[in-house]
Amino acid sequence: SAVISQKPSRDICQRGTSLTIQCQVDSQVTMMFWYRQQPGQSLTLIATANQGSEATYESGFVIDKFPISRPNLTFSTLTVSNMSPEDSSIYLCSAPIMGDITDTQYFGPGTRLTVL
Amino acid sequence: AQTVTQSQPEMSVQEAETVTLSCTYDTSESDYYLFWYKQPPSRQMILVIRQEAYKQQNATENRFSVNFQKAAKSFSLKISDSQLGDAAMYFCAYRGFGVGSGTYKYIFGTGTRLKVLA
């Protein structure tokens, strides 16, 4: 398995502001994934972040709203821009571990975001 | 497109009893992976068990086992000797293949909330 940490664990923000969420993995990984989990819902993939290339966004998510950085093989950030109350969710990052042929994803503890 | 369906929004089980959570999926692929994840109130997604589609033998991990029926596209999770710590949301997930080489996307079901009664 892998240890994945996220910062912050929770935050309360005002509408119109931006929040950057950090995700750190304790080993090198090629792919990192960012998910949104709205209250009581399942996980929805926002984007896939590969080191050295642009993130690949899923339908309904755009780079201007959710810019992602992936500066190295152990770290990624997701920014939630120009926030509105509809962005209140848990945001999770995940990564499959190199050498695991099943590419099982391991998850960070999540960031609970509340937008007022 | 692949889909994952969990038809039981909530289940209850007595402590020390056995419970089965159901999951069905739809795919045209012949090779894939299936997973069960547990999400307790702490929000941490924890891998419970995984199954490779090309393996006929059902996966087991201690008190957790699956009943994988490939032809029926069914992947249920059995929890034996249920414990209070098993109370959580359980998500079934399918690992598909995304756009571009080396990208693998998960598709999650809607989850089943498991309550364990003392």
Short mmCIF file of all heavy atoms in Angstrom, two decimals, chain B residues 47-75:
data_model
loop_
_atom_site.label_atom_id
_atom_site.label_comp_id
_atom_site.label_asym_id
_atom_site.label_seq_id
_atom_site.Cartn_x
_atom_site.Cartn_y
_atom_site.Cartn_z
N LEU B 47 -9.15 0.12 0.78
CA LEU B 47 -9.36 -1.05 -0.07
C LEU B 47 -9.70 -2.26 0.78
O LEU B 47 -8.98 -2.57 1.73
CB LEU B 47 -8.10 -1.33 -0.89
CG LEU B 47 -8.14 -2.59 -1.75
CD1 LEU B 47 -9.13 -2.41 -2.89
CD2 LEU B 47 -6.75 -2.93 -2.28
N VAL B 48 -10.80 -2.91 0.45
CA VAL B 48 -11.21 -4.11 1.17
C VAL B 48 -10.74 -5.35 0.45
O VAL B 48 -10.12 -6.25 1.03
CB VAL B 48 -12.75 -4.15 1.33
CG1 VAL B 48 -13.18 -5.47 1.97
CG2 VAL B 48 -13.23 -2.97 2.17
N ILE B 49 -11.02 -5.40 -0.85
CA ILE B 49 -10.71 -6.61 -1.61
C ILE B 49 -10.76 -6.27 -3.10
O ILE B 49 -11.44 -5.32 -3.50
CB ILE B 49 -11.72 -7.73 -1.25
CG1 ILE B 49 -11.21 -9.10 -1.64
CG2 ILE B 49 -13.09 -7.44 -1.85
CD1 ILE B 49 -12.00 -10.23 -0.98
N ARG B 50 -10.02 -7.02 -3.90
CA ARG B 50 -10.05 -6.82 -5.34
C ARG B 50 -10.09 -8.18 -6.04
O ARG B 50 -9.65 -9.18 -5.50
CB ARG B 50 -8.84 -6.01 -5.79
CG ARG B 50 -7.52 -6.73 -5.65
CD ARG B 50 -6.37 -5.83 -6.01
NE ARG B 50 -5.09 -6.47 -5.76
CZ ARG B 50 -3.97 -5.83 -5.47
NH1 ARG B 50 -3.98 -4.51 -5.40
NH2 ARG B 50 -2.84 -6.47 -5.27
N GLN B 51 -10.62 -8.12 -7.25
CA GLN B 51 -10.79 -9.34 -8.04
C GLN B 51 -10.35 -9.08 -9.47
O GLN B 51 -10.76 -8.09 -10.08
CB GLN B 51 -12.28 -9.76 -8.03
CG GLN B 51 -12.63 -10.92 -8.93
CD GLN B 51 -12.25 -12.26 -8.33
OE1 GLN B 51 -12.46 -12.51 -7.14
NE2 GLN B 51 -11.70 -13.14 -9.14
N GLU B 52 -9.50 -9.94 -9.98
CA GLU B 52 -9.12 -9.86 -11.39
C GLU B 52 -10.14 -10.65 -12.20
O GLU B 52 -10.44 -11.80 -11.87
CB GLU B 52 -7.72 -10.43 -11.60
CG GLU B 52 -6.61 -9.61 -10.98
CD GLU B 52 -6.30 -10.00 -9.54
OE1 GLU B 52 -7.15 -10.64 -8.89
OE2 GLU B 52 -5.22 -9.65 -9.06
N ALA B 53 -10.64 -10.06 -13.27
CA ALA B 53 -11.71 -10.70 -14.04
C ALA B 53 -11.28 -12.01 -14.68
O ALA B 53 -12.10 -12.90 -14.91
CB ALA B 53 -12.24 -9.74 -15.10
N TYR B 54 -9.99 -12.13 -14.95
CA TYR B 54 -9.52 -13.34 -15.62
C TYR B 54 -9.34 -14.51 -14.65
O TYR B 54 -9.10 -15.63 -15.06
CB TYR B 54 -8.21 -13.08 -16.36
CG TYR B 54 -7.07 -12.61 -15.49
CD1 TYR B 54 -6.26 -13.53 -14.82
CD2 TYR B 54 -6.79 -11.27 -15.34
CE1 TYR B 54 -5.21 -13.12 -14.03
CE2 TYR B 54 -5.74 -10.84 -14.55
CZ TYR B 54 -4.96 -11.76 -13.89
OH TYR B 54 -3.91 -11.35 -13.11
N LYS B 55 -9.48 -14.23 -13.36
CA LYS B 55 -9.37 -15.30 -12.36
C LYS B 55 -10.76 -15.81 -12.01
O LYS B 55 -11.64 -15.04 -11.63
CB LYS B 55 -8.67 -14.79 -11.10
CG LYS B 55 -7.19 -14.51 -11.28
CD LYS B 55 -6.55 -14.15 -9.94
CE LYS B 55 -5.06 -13.92 -10.10
NZ LYS B 55 -4.41 -13.55 -8.81
N GLN B 56 -10.92 -17.11 -12.10
CA GLN B 56 -12.22 -17.69 -11.76
C GLN B 56 -12.38 -17.82 -10.25
O GLN B 56 -13.49 -17.80 -9.74
CB GLN B 56 -12.37 -19.06 -12.42
CG GLN B 56 -12.49 -18.99 -13.94
CD GLN B 56 -12.78 -20.34 -14.55
OE1 GLN B 56 -12.43 -21.36 -13.98
NE2 GLN B 56 -13.42 -20.34 -15.70
N GLN B 57 -11.27 -17.96 -9.54
CA GLN B 57 -11.35 -18.15 -8.10
C GLN B 57 -11.75 -16.85 -7.43
O GLN B 57 -11.19 -15.78 -7.71
CB GLN B 57 -10.00 -18.62 -7.56
CG GLN B 57 -10.02 -18.96 -6.09
CD GLN B 57 -8.71 -19.56 -5.64
OE1 GLN B 57 -7.74 -19.62 -6.39
NE2 GLN B 57 -8.66 -20.02 -4.41
N ASN B 58 -12.70 -16.94 -6.52
CA ASN B 58 -13.15 -15.77 -5.79
C ASN B 58 -12.10 -15.30 -4.80
O ASN B 58 -11.50 -16.11 -4.08
CB ASN B 58 -14.45 -16.06 -5.04
CG ASN B 58 -15.63 -16.23 -5.98
OD1 ASN B 58 -15.72 -15.55 -7.00
ND2 ASN B 58 -16.52 -17.15 -5.65
N ALA B 59 -11.89 -13.97 -4.74
CA ALA B 59 -10.92 -13.42 -3.81
C ALA B 59 -11.43 -13.47 -2.37
O ALA B 59 -12.64 -13.36 -2.13
CB ALA B 59 -10.61 -11.97 -4.19
N THR B 60 -10.51 -13.65 -1.44
CA THR B 60 -10.85 -13.62 -0.02
C THR B 60 -9.77 -12.84 0.73
O THR B 60 -8.59 -12.88 0.36
CB THR B 60 -10.95 -15.03 0.59
OG1 THR B 60 -9.67 -15.67 0.48
CG2 THR B 60 -12.00 -15.86 -0.13
N GLU B 61 -10.19 -12.13 1.74
CA GLU B 61 -9.27 -11.40 2.63
C GLU B 61 -9.84 -11.51 4.04
O GLU B 61 -10.71 -10.73 4.43
CB GLU B 61 -9.17 -9.92 2.22
CG GLU B 61 -8.38 -9.65 0.98
CD GLU B 61 -6.88 -9.82 1.16
OE1 GLU B 61 -6.40 -9.82 2.31
OE2 GLU B 61 -6.18 -9.98 0.14
N ASN B 62 -9.35 -12.51 4.75
CA ASN B 62 -9.80 -12.71 6.14
C ASN B 62 -11.33 -12.90 6.17
O ASN B 62 -11.84 -13.85 5.60
CB ASN B 62 -9.34 -11.56 7.02
CG ASN B 62 -7.84 -11.42 7.02
OD1 ASN B 62 -7.11 -12.41 7.17
ND2 ASN B 62 -7.34 -10.21 6.82
N ARG B 63 -12.06 -11.99 6.81
CA ARG B 63 -13.51 -12.13 6.94
C ARG B 63 -14.27 -11.68 5.70
O ARG B 63 -15.50 -11.79 5.64
CB ARG B 63 -14.00 -11.34 8.15
CG ARG B 63 -13.42 -11.79 9.47
CD ARG B 63 -14.01 -11.01 10.65
NE ARG B 63 -13.62 -9.59 10.59
CZ ARG B 63 -14.44 -8.61 10.28
NH1 ARG B 63 -15.71 -8.86 9.98
NH2 ARG B 63 -14.02 -7.36 10.27
N PHE B 64 -13.57 -11.15 4.73
CA PHE B 64 -14.20 -10.61 3.53
C PHE B 64 -13.97 -11.55 2.35
O PHE B 64 -12.84 -11.98 2.11
CB PHE B 64 -13.63 -9.22 3.21
CG PHE B 64 -13.85 -8.21 4.30
CD1 PHE B 64 -12.93 -8.07 5.32
CD2 PHE B 64 -14.97 -7.40 4.29
CE1 PHE B 64 -13.13 -7.13 6.33
CE2 PHE B 64 -15.18 -6.46 5.29
CZ PHE B 64 -14.26 -6.33 6.31
N SER B 65 -15.02 -11.82 1.62
CA SER B 65 -14.90 -12.63 0.42
C SER B 65 -15.88 -12.12 -0.63
O SER B 65 -16.82 -11.40 -0.30
CB SER B 65 -15.17 -14.11 0.72
OG SER B 65 -16.49 -14.28 1.19
N VAL B 66 -15.61 -12.46 -1.86
CA VAL B 66 -16.50 -12.03 -2.94
C VAL B 66 -17.09 -13.24 -3.63
O VAL B 66 -16.52 -14.33 -3.60
CB VAL B 66 -15.77 -11.12 -3.96
CG1 VAL B 66 -15.26 -9.86 -3.29
CG2 VAL B 66 -14.66 -11.88 -4.68
N ASN B 67 -18.22 -13.01 -4.24
CA ASN B 67 -18.83 -13.98 -5.15
C ASN B 67 -18.85 -13.31 -6.53
O ASN B 67 -19.69 -12.44 -6.79
CB ASN B 67 -20.24 -14.34 -4.69
CG ASN B 67 -20.86 -15.41 -5.58
OD1 ASN B 67 -20.22 -15.95 -6.49
ND2 ASN B 67 -22.12 -15.73 -5.32
N PHE B 68 -17.89 -13.69 -7.35
CA PHE B 68 -17.72 -13.07 -8.65
C PHE B 68 -18.35 -13.98 -9.71
O PHE B 68 -17.92 -15.12 -9.89
CB PHE B 68 -16.23 -12.87 -8.94
CG PHE B 68 -15.92 -12.39 -10.32
CD1 PHE B 68 -16.57 -11.30 -10.87
CD2 PHE B 68 -14.94 -13.03 -11.09
CE1 PHE B 68 -16.28 -10.85 -12.14
CE2 PHE B 68 -14.64 -12.59 -12.36
CZ PHE B 68 -15.30 -11.50 -12.89
N GLN B 69 -19.37 -13.48 -10.35
CA GLN B 69 -20.05 -14.21 -11.42
C GLN B 69 -19.88 -13.41 -12.71
O GLN B 69 -20.66 -12.48 -12.99
CB GLN B 69 -21.55 -14.37 -11.08
CG GLN B 69 -21.82 -15.08 -9.78
CD GLN B 69 -21.50 -16.55 -9.87
OE1 GLN B 69 -21.61 -17.16 -10.94
NE2 GLN B 69 -21.07 -17.13 -8.75
N LYS B 70 -18.85 -13.77 -13.50
CA LYS B 70 -18.50 -12.95 -14.65
C LYS B 70 -19.61 -12.92 -15.70
O LYS B 70 -19.91 -11.87 -16.27
CB LYS B 70 -17.20 -13.46 -15.29
CG LYS B 70 -16.64 -12.53 -16.33
CD LYS B 70 -15.27 -12.98 -16.82
CE LYS B 70 -14.68 -11.97 -17.81
NZ LYS B 70 -13.33 -12.39 -18.28
N ALA B 71 -20.20 -14.05 -15.96
CA ALA B 71 -21.25 -14.09 -16.99
C ALA B 71 -22.45 -13.25 -16.59
O ALA B 71 -23.07 -12.58 -17.42
CB ALA B 71 -21.67 -15.53 -17.24
N ALA B 72 -22.76 -13.26 -15.32
CA ALA B 72 -23.89 -12.48 -14.81
C ALA B 72 -23.49 -11.05 -14.50
O ALA B 72 -24.35 -10.22 -14.16
CB ALA B 72 -24.46 -13.14 -13.56
N LYS B 73 -22.20 -10.74 -14.57
CA LYS B 73 -21.68 -9.41 -14.25
C LYS B 73 -22.11 -9.00 -12.86
O LYS B 73 -22.67 -7.91 -12.64
CB LYS B 73 -22.11 -8.40 -15.32
CG LYS B 73 -21.51 -8.72 -16.68
CD LYS B 73 -21.95 -7.74 -17.77
CE LYS B 73 -21.34 -8.18 -19.10
NZ LYS B 73 -21.83 -7.36 -20.22
N SER B 74 -21.82 -9.89 -11.93
CA SER B 74 -22.19 -9.68 -10.54
C SER B 74 -20.95 -9.83 -9.67
O SER B 74 -20.10 -10.71 -9.91
CB SER B 74 -23.25 -10.70 -10.14
OG SER B 74 -23.48 -10.67 -8.76
N PHE B 75 -20.86 -9.00 -8.64
CA PHE B 75 -19.66 -8.98 -7.79
C PHE B 75 -20.10 -8.62 -6.38
O PHE B 75 -20.05 -7.46 -5.97
CB PHE B 75 -18.69 -7.93 -8.35
CG PHE B 75 -17.38 -7.82 -7.62
CD1 PHE B 75 -16.52 -8.91 -7.52
CD2 PHE B 75 -16.97 -6.61 -7.06
CE1 PHE B 75 -15.30 -8.81 -6.85
CE2 PHE B 75 -15.76 -6.49 -6.39
CZ PHE B 75 -14.93 -7.59 -6.29
#
